[in-house]
Amino acid sequence: MKRLGAFTLALVMIFTTPHIQADAAGLKSRIKSLQRQSEEKKSQLDDLRSQLVDLISQIDALEEDIKENDQDIKDAEDDLADAKKAEKQQYNSMKSRIRYFYENDTENNVFNILIGSKGLTDFINKVQYMNAVYSYDRDLLDSYEATRVEIQGMEEDLKDKREELDKEKKSLKDQKKSLKNLIESKKDEVSDIQSQVKAAKALARKRAAERRQRLEEARRQRNIAKAAAAARAAQAALTGNNDNNGGGSSGASGASGGSGGSGSSPFIQDADPSPSTDVSGSSVVSYAMQFVGNRYVWGGNSLTNGVDCSGFVVQVYRHFGIDLSGSRNSAALRSVGKAVSPDNIKAGDIVCYPGHVAIYSGDGLIVEAQSSRAGITHNRSWNHGTVLAIRRVI
């Protein structure tokens, strides 16, 4: 009986051992498969985190741009309202003068003046007075027309800004929709998606802070480079003056060479006119930079107490003896001096936009009386908007 039991046990062990070994091998294979799946899931989660970080970074940057553009549009609308108010005041003033001098006043026609004059001298004096009044009214009409053109340019620029803002808002909407769909598609696979989003946002903020730090460092380096360039230019100018002592002067007289008037193209291929004065662009920019941070005032002419975009340009150049007062609006400034092609733009050149004008400061930036909110600034690219003309007056 014992032998039979031992034999039976031996048979059981012989037949069951392969099954146990097969189960162990299957479990080991299952564990390896789960490990591979776990690694794949981890890789998917890493990809998702990267996508979330990129999308959130893009959305944060786009939201900041939209916020700035919204404020720019509000500033432009305020400036446009001020301009229209000034236009209305000019129109009413001219209308009142015309009604008074040319409709109601019948005593100032030439015949009545001749009859009522006490003599030839009196008659000539009265006619000269009438001519002076007519010239004054003609100037008022020209000023009104310039304001009307200015308003038209501002309205076109505002329209462009609104269209661009609508595109940005649509892009933001699409980005958010894409992010939402991505999150929804991963909810079943990633149970802790909210914590991942939080971590992604934190990383996005960190990247944004690092980006701001890099931009600030780059701006600081540009300022250092500009200061060094200005110092080199001043030294070069001093050396040039010393070399010219006793050897004759080559001043600005006789070097004007033509103005490239209002009928010329704003951009001429390879246009890079020679200097017509002994004023350097760096000195113009250096002087203009002193007023960064001061107020913007519509129609203002004071660099310290308030000035608008065209007034800023006119007053800066007036400091160097260059009179642009006959072109006291952005439209008229498009035809002063000589045309410059974009590839040859230099510090001190005048950059004209629809309803706006600025001074190129070098390194791709402009110094300008930007808006009533921003004041006089030095933080925008020269080609941030539609450039209608680049003019050189020095």
Side-chain angles (χ1 to χ4, degrees):
M1 190 69 181
K2 290 181 178 179
R3 289 180 179 179
L4 180 60
F7 180 71
T8 302
L9 180 60
L11 288 175
V12 171
M13 291 180 67
I14 290 172
F15 286 103
T16 57
T17 297
H19 292 288
I20 293 173
Q21 292 175 345
D23 290 342
L27 181 58
K28 184 177 181 180
S29 176
R30 175 63 176 168
I31 291 173
K32 288 184 178 180
S33 176
L34 290 174
Q35 287 176 338
R36 286 195 299 270
Q37 293 179 27
S38 177
E39 291 298 323
E40 292 173 358
K41 186 67 66 178
K42 182 179 179 180
S43 177
Q44 291 177 5
L45 289 175
D46 290 340
D47 290 341
L48 178 60
R49 291 189 184 98
S50 179
Q51 292 178 46
L52 287 173
V53 169
D54 292 339
L55 285 172
I56 293 171
S57 297
Q58 294 172 18
I59 288 174
D60 288 344
L62 194 54
E63 285 177 335
E64 290 178 4
D65 291 343
I66 287 177
K67 187 182 298 183
E68 291 182 1
N69 284 343
D70 273 327
Q71 186 60 53
D72 286 343
I73 286 179
K74 183 179 183 302
D75 291 341
E77 288 173 342
D78 293 340
D79 292 340
L80 182 58
D82 290 340
K84 286 185 175 180
K85 183 178 179 182
E87 178 197 25
K88 184 177 180 180
Q89 290 175 348
Q90 287 178 317
Y91 176 77
N92 289 335
S93 177
M94 284 193 307
K95 187 170 67 175
S96 297
R97 288 184 60 80
I98 290 171
R99 181 180 295 115
Y100 179 80
F101 282 105
Y102 301 105
E103 292 180 3
N104 298 329
D105 188 357
T106 61
E107 296 180 0
N108 282 329
N109 58 62
V110 175
F111 177 77
N112 287 334
I113 287 176
L114 179 59
I115 297 300
S117 297
K118 297 177 181 179
L120 180 59
T121 302
D122 187 29
F123 171 77
I124 292 174
N125 290 337
K126 289 184 178 181
V127 169
Q128 288 177 343
Y129 169 75
M130 284 186 63
N131 288 336
V133 170
Y134 172 80
S135 297
Y136 177 78
D137 289 342
R138 181 73 259 176
D139 291 341
L140 283 180
L141 182 59
D142 291 343
S143 178
Y144 170 77
E145 177 62 18
T147 300
R148 189 188 65 78
V149 172
E150 184 94 2
I151 289 174
Q152 183 180 358
M154 292 173 68
E155 288 175 336
E156 292 174 356
D157 194 35
L158 184 57
K159 179 182 177 182
D160 292 342
K161 286 183 179 180
R162 284 172 174 160
E163 290 176 354
E164 187 65 26
L165 182 60
D166 289 340
K167 291 180 183 178
E168 291 178 348
K169 287 183 176 179
K170 184 179 183 302
S171 175
L172 176 59
K173 184 177 179 180
D174 292 341
Q175 291 282 355
K176 286 186 175 179
K177 183 178 179 181
S178 175
L179 177 59
K180 182 178 179 181
N181 291 338
L182 179 63
I183 292 174
E184 291 295 329
S185 68
K186 296 296 181 179
K187 273 186 176 179
D188 295 337
E189 300 176 20
V190 184
S191 60
D192 59 342
I193 189 68
Q194 291 182 345
S195 63
Q196 293 180 49
V197 170
K198 182 178 179 181
K201 285 185 175 181
L203 182 56
R205 287 193 295 270
K206 180 180 178 181
R207 287 185 178 180
E210 292 171 349
R211 182 179 63 182
R212 287 193 296 269
Q213 185 176 2
R214 289 195 300 270
L215 290 174
E216 182 61 30
E217 177 61 21
R219 186 180 295 111
R220 189 179 71 84
Q221 293 297 333
R222 285 199 303 270
N223 290 337
I224 292 174
K226 283 193 292 186
R232 288 195 298 271
Q235 182 62 37
L238 181 60
T239 302
N241 289 336
N242 290 336
D243 291 340
N244 286 331
N245 285 338
S249 173
S250 58
S253 61
S256 59
S259 64
S262 59
S264 63
S265 171
F267 296 143
I268 301 175
Q269 183 70 25
D270 299 327
D272 188 13
S274 301
S276 58
T277 73
D278 58 357
V279 178
S280 68
S282 60
S283 61
V284 172
V285 172
S286 178
Y287 179 72
M289 290 289 291
Q290 300 179 46
F291 306 102
V292 171
N294 288 354
R295 297 173 56 211
Y296 175 103
V297 175
W298 170 261
N301 286 298
S302 172
L303 294 172
T304 54
N305 297 326
V307 67
D308 59 12
C309 63
S310 56
F312 177 72
V313 173
V314 169
Q315 294 303 323
V316 167
Y317 279 99
R318 176 173 290 174
H319 175 75
F320 295 93
I322 300 172
D323 186 8
L324 302 177
S325 58
S327 305
R328 180 54 175 82
N329 60 76
S330 61
L333 286 169
R334 295 172 199 165
S335 61
V336 300
K338 301 175 184 177
V340 179
S341 63
D343 291 340
N344 291 311
I345 188 171
K346 295 179 180 178
D349 287 344
I350 299 172
V351 187
C352 302
Y353 312 87
H356 189 61
V357 66
I359 298 174
Y360 183 66
S361 63
D363 295 324
L365 298 177
I366 52 175
V367 56
E368 58 181 328
Q370 182 175 339
S371 66
S372 55
R373 176 181 66 90
I376 299 176
T377 62
H378 180 235
N379 57 14
R380 291 205 295 182
S381 169
W382 75 274
N383 57 357
H384 71 276
T386 302
V387 178
L388 299 179
I390 305 171
R391 312 298 297 185
R392 183 169 299 163
V393 297
I394 56 176

